[in-house]
Amino acid sequence: MKESKIGVIGGLGHIGLIQAACLAKLGYKTKAYDINVEKMKGILQGKMPFEEPDLADLVIETINSGLLKMTSQITDLEEVDIIFICVGTPSLSNGEADLSQVYAAVEQVAHNRNKHCLAVVKSTVPVGTSRKLTKYLKEHNLSEKVTMVSNPEFLREGSGVTDFWEPARIVVGGEVKEAAEKVAKIYAPPGVPIINTSWENSELIKYASNAFLATKISFINEIALLSEKVGGDIRVISQGMGQDPRINPMFLEAGVGFSGPCLEKDLKSLIAQFQKVHRKASILESVLQVNEGQRQGLVEKLQEQLGNLKDKKIGILGMAFKAETDDVRQSHSLPIVKQLLSLGAVVTVSDPWVKTAKQGGLSEAELPGVEWVSSPYEAAGGKDAILILTEWQEYKELDFKKLKALMLNPLIVDGRNLFNAKDMERLKINYLGVGI
Ligand code: UDX
């Protein structure tokens, strides 16, 4: 067992639970603090609060080993040496990050301390936040108990556990280099580069990384707009580009665009940070604009083929923001379905991991009248068109003869470019992708 005792605030969230379970697996006595007791009860019964490959086994193993404990009492963290803050920083209406949970967590840490600790901000926070938190602690005579360290996470939903074990780099920021180094050494695998820098650099590395990933996606989606007008296949274009190691093949898949809990939120927050210092984030604003255009473009494809969508029956395949996740909350599927409903379409949705609105954390009122069915074939039955929004493996293996026989009209608009237009032509299915 390792000597440092660790706490994780927001310990049952997407980032916090992965952080807590993996640190416990490394041999640290780790306490996952969270206010959500329901989640705790579920976990003790082996039910994870969200789908994440490899996480359930890790959590159960480390709870059984006694290294991972869960608590809703902040006083249980009085003795820990290092506290990772993994609370949410949702978007405010003006795009800025809401830091109330981060400040509340630092307050809790500072007021419930028997010994000095490192407060490690894993949550994505605007540049300058760690410095502001340090100033806040000084003003409240709490700084001798808490030293702030920035340590942004780069975990992707659906591969978070793998991303924890195989980080491309560890970024830490702080005024006390040794403190930052200590945090990095807690979990840096041998040979992985550690960037030990200022708070500001660390915080901006996170935003700039996510913004660049989003930029790559909007870039290829913009090229797709031209590609489909000139008979190109954006998948081949991406492949041709990606062979250049300076470009690399990743994050060059054109389609419905990016969504989910991070990229869009972080992009909006970064743009707001530019505005705060009276600078224009021209590229980043275009990245957002292109992304919104992708969703609109899919609806327009349906309108081009079906005319007025009023009373047209549309089947949606995939609600999650990407495959291997059950995260629907910030998925592009919501605005797209809402737009179809506003145009009077009758919408049926299906997703392998999200079987009902409730399971997706949605109220019935959010998608009024939408029918949730359990299979893509059910979603296709009697429909005027199918719209594919998530690149689930099971959709790649669909039996198109069966699907076509079920449909009223053989139209497939594919927001993930899963299929070959020629195959569809042979089956006499009207197939439209993005940039193909
Ligand atoms: C992202 C970052 O990848 C991760 O490093 C950060 O810590 C959190 O935000 P995540 O949002 O979980 O991770 O998923 P990601 O795999 O980045 O996908 C984001 C969205 O972009 C998804 O909707 C995905 O479908 C879409 N995407 C991704 C594309 O449209 N094209 C691509 O080529 C890649």
Side-chain angles (χ1 to χ4, degrees), residues 154-157 206 251 253 259 262 321-322 416:
F154 300 97
L155 309 184
R156 289 164 297 170
E157 279 196 41
K206 169 65 185 175
F251 279 69
E253 287 165 42
S259 69
C262 300
F321 81 99
K322 67 172 183 174
R416 294 296 187 165

Side-chain angles (χ1 to χ4, degrees), residues 298-314 339-347 383-385 408-409 411:
L298 290 177
V299 174
E300 282 163 8
K301 283 179 168 38
L302 287 169
Q303 289 170 312
E304 282 154 22
Q305 301 298 319
L306 298 173
N308 186 327
L309 294 184
K310 185 159 175 31
D311 299 329
K312 292 291 188 313
K313 294 182 181 57
I314 313 288
Q339 190 184 357
L340 292 174
L341 293 173
S342 71
L343 293 166
V346 178
V347 181
K383 299 299 184 298
D384 295 296
L408 196 62
N409 171 46
L411 168 60

Side-chain angles (χ1 to χ4, degrees), residues 82 116 118 147-149 172-186 194 196-197:
I82 298 176
H116 176 270
L118 299 181
T147 300
M148 298 307 303
V149 174
V172 283
E175 285 203 327
V176 181
K177 285 275 167 273
E178 300 68 37
E181 195 67 16
K182 181 178 176 186
V183 170
K185 294 268 186 254
I186 283 281
I194 294 174
N196 187 342
T197 183

Side-chain angles (χ1 to χ4, degrees), residues 322-356:
K322 67 172 183 174
E324 300 303 303
T325 72
D326 61 352
D327 200 336
V328 176
R329 287 271 357 125
Q330 285 90 9
S331 173
H332 48 264
S333 58
L334 298 191
I336 290 172
V337 170
K338 285 174 184 169
Q339 190 184 357
L340 292 174
L341 293 173
S342 71
L343 293 166
V346 178
V347 181
T348 301
V349 304
S350 172
D351 186 287
W353 282 11
V354 186
K355 300 292 183 193
T356 63

